[in-house]
Amino acid sequence: MTISTPPPPSPSPAPAAAGPGDHDLGPGGNKLLWFLLFAAVVFAVLRPMSPQAWLGLIDWQTMGALTGLLAITQGVERSGVLQSAARALLARTGSARQLALLLCAVAAALAALVTNDVSLFLLVPLTRELAAQAHLPLARLVALEALAVNAGSSLTPIGNPQNLYLWHKSGESFGGFIAMMAPTVGLMLLLLVATILITMPRAPIKLAADTRRTPTRPGLLALSGALFVGFVLALELHQWAPALAVVLAIYALWHRPVLMKLDWALLATFALMFVVLHQLAALPQVAALLRGLPLDQPMAAYLAAIGASQVISNVPATLVLADAVPNVAVLAIAVNVGGFGFVAGSMANLIALRLARAPGALKEFHRISLPFLAVCAPLVAWLAL
C-alpha cells in the first residue's frame, strides 16, 4: 500500500468546533446530500409512485435508531465528559500512531460486539475532542476508525446488518459464522495495522496551548448513559419506536438544547439514500445485468458483490444478490470487503465522516480507503477463494 504521509499540521487550534455546514458532509457543502436529492428527483420523474410507496422505501427502523443515537451522543458531548476523557487519554499516550492503534483496536472490538454504527457513535466524538486538545489529523483518524469498524464488524453475525441477514440465511451456528469469517477479518486487521503504521506519525503528541476546560455535568452524563443502554436494548428487541419517543421526550423536557443540535442533514442523507438505492436496485437493467453474470462461480460472485457495494452500499447489495449467489460464505466475505473503498460502500463510512465534522474528511477517507480496498480485495480472494 503506497499512501504518502503529509507533514503534521502546523501548531494551530484544531477545527473541532466547526458547525455542521463547515465541512464536506455539512448542509452547505454536502455534495452527497445534494447528489442524492437530485437523483431522487430524477427517479420521481422516470419512475413515479405514490408518496406512501416512497415512504415505504425508507428503512424506518434504521432511521429511528440513527435519530436516537444522534440525540444521545449530543447528550454525552454536552455533559463535558469527553473533554475530561480526552485529557486523561492524551496524558497516557506517547504518539499519534500509538493513539490511532488504540482507538482502532477499541473500534474494531466494539463493532464486533455492539455493531459498527454504535461503535462510531461512541468513539468519533471522543476522537474529535482528542484532535481539539492536541495537534492531531482528525480526518485521518476518523477514516482509520471507519476502516476498523468495517473490519471488526465483519467477524460476528451481530456486527452489521448484512452479517445478521446472511447468518440466518446460511444456517450456520454463531461460532460457525465467526470461524467462516475469521481468516478474512484477520487479514483485514493486519492491513489496518499496516495502514496505521504508514499514515500516522510516531512523533510525540503536542497539546494545544488553548486546551479548553469544560465543566462536567454528571447528571446529564448519567441520564445519557442510561438512555444509551436502554435504547440499544430496545433496538435488540425491535422496539425502536417507543424507545425513540422516550429518548426525545426526556431530552425535550429536561435538556432541550440537546435536540437543538441534532444533525438533520445526516438524517436527510440517509433517508434519501434509502430511496435512491432501492430505486436503483429495482431497475430492470440491474436485474438483467445480474441474470447475465455467472454468479454460481465464486470469483464472479465475489467481484460482483464488491462492485455492487461500491455503487449501492453493502447492505442493499446483499439483499439484491442473496438469492442469485448460492455460496453464502462468498457473498458474506465479499460484501464485507465491499464496505471499504468508496464512501458509499458502507453506511458506517457516512456516519463516521458526518460525526467527524472535519474539513477535507471525504477526500482524506478516499485517500486511505480506496488503496485499502485495492490491496485487500485480491488478498482476500487469494486467501478465501
Side-chain angles (χ1 to χ4, degrees):
M1 192 175 305
T2 57
I3 305 176
S4 60
T5 305
S10 58
S12 59
D22 298 329
H23 47 86
D24 286 354
L25 297 180
N30 188 348
K31 297 177 182 178
L32 178 60
L33 177 59
W34 290 112
F35 172 77
L36 290 172
L37 183 60
F38 173 77
V41 172
V42 171
F43 276 120
V45 174
L46 297 180
R47 305 182 74 245
M49 59 176 61
S50 66
Q52 291 81 1
W54 271 76
L55 293 175
L57 298 177
I58 299 174
D59 186 336
W60 290 107
Q61 179 172 340
T62 298
M63 293 300 300
L66 186 60
T67 304
L69 289 171
L70 279 173
I72 293 169
T73 300
Q74 279 295 326
V76 173
E77 287 193 58
R78 294 184 68 85
S79 73
V81 69
L82 294 180
Q83 291 83 350
S84 300
R87 284 195 296 271
L89 184 56
L90 289 171
R92 293 167 175 78
T93 307
S95 67
R97 179 180 293 177
Q98 182 183 353
L99 180 64
L101 288 169
L102 175 62
L103 290 173
C104 288
V106 173
L110 282 175
L113 298 175
V114 297
T115 75
N116 49 11
D117 53 352
V118 174
S119 175
L120 290 170
F121 277 106
L122 291 171
L123 283 179
V124 174
L126 173 61
T127 306
R128 197 171 65 243
E129 187 57 39
L130 288 166
Q133 296 191 21
H135 303 299
L136 296 171
L138 174 59
R140 196 182 316 165
L141 279 172
V142 172
L144 292 170
E145 288 172 356
L147 298 184
V149 299
N150 283 324
S153 69
S154 303
L155 181 64
T156 65
I158 60 174
N160 54 50
Q162 67 268 21
N163 278 9
L164 185 61
Y165 175 79
L166 292 173
W167 174 46
H168 292 305
K169 186 176 178 64
S170 69
E172 288 277 0
S173 65
F174 194 93
F177 189 93
I178 291 177
M180 178 180 77
M181 298 299 297
T184 296
V185 174
L187 179 57
M188 290 176 178
L189 294 176
L190 284 175
L191 290 175
L192 176 62
V193 171
T195 304
I196 293 172
L197 296 179
I198 293 170
T199 60
M200 294 301 298
R202 346 177 248 195
I205 294 175
K206 296 181 180 179
L207 294 178
D210 61 341
T211 298
R212 294 164 292 147
R213 300 291 177 180
T214 303
T216 302
R217 302 168 65 185
L220 179 55
L221 173 61
L223 174 63
S224 299
L227 288 175
F228 177 80
V229 173
F231 191 70
V232 171
L233 290 175
L235 292 179
E236 291 296 320
L237 298 174
H238 305 287
Q239 298 297 318
W240 66 269
L244 177 61
V246 169
V247 168
L248 297 181
I250 288 176
Y251 281 130
L253 290 173
W254 287 288
H255 297 283
R256 191 168 300 174
V258 169
L259 298 184
M260 301 299 292
K261 294 292 184 179
L262 273 184
D263 194 340
W264 298 108
L266 177 60
L267 297 175
T269 298
F270 269 82
L272 286 171
M273 178 170 280
F274 283 122
V275 170
V276 171
L277 294 183
H278 278 95
Q279 291 275 46
L280 186 63
L283 290 175
Q285 294 86 342
V286 174
L289 176 62
L290 294 178
R291 286 194 298 268
L293 296 175
L295 296 179
D296 56 329
Q297 299 177 18
M299 185 56 72
Y302 178 77
L303 294 175
I306 292 177
S309 297
Q310 298 303 293
V311 178
I312 62 173
S313 192
N314 53 8
V315 175
T318 301
L319 301 177
V320 169
L321 294 170
D323 293 332
V325 177
N327 193 323
V328 176
V330 169
L331 181 57
I333 291 169
V335 293
N336 280 289
V337 172
F340 306 117
F342 286 105
V343 68
S346 169
M347 291 189 177
N349 299 335
L350 293 170
I351 292 175
L353 297 188
R354 185 70 193 190
L355 291 175
R357 306 177 191 169
L362 190 61
K363 180 179 179 180
E364 184 72 5
F365 174 83
H366 286 134
R367 192 181 71 87
I368 294 175
S369 187
L370 288 173
F372 190 95
L373 176 63
V375 174
C376 182
L379 287 179
V380 169
W382 169 79
L383 176 69
L385 303 185

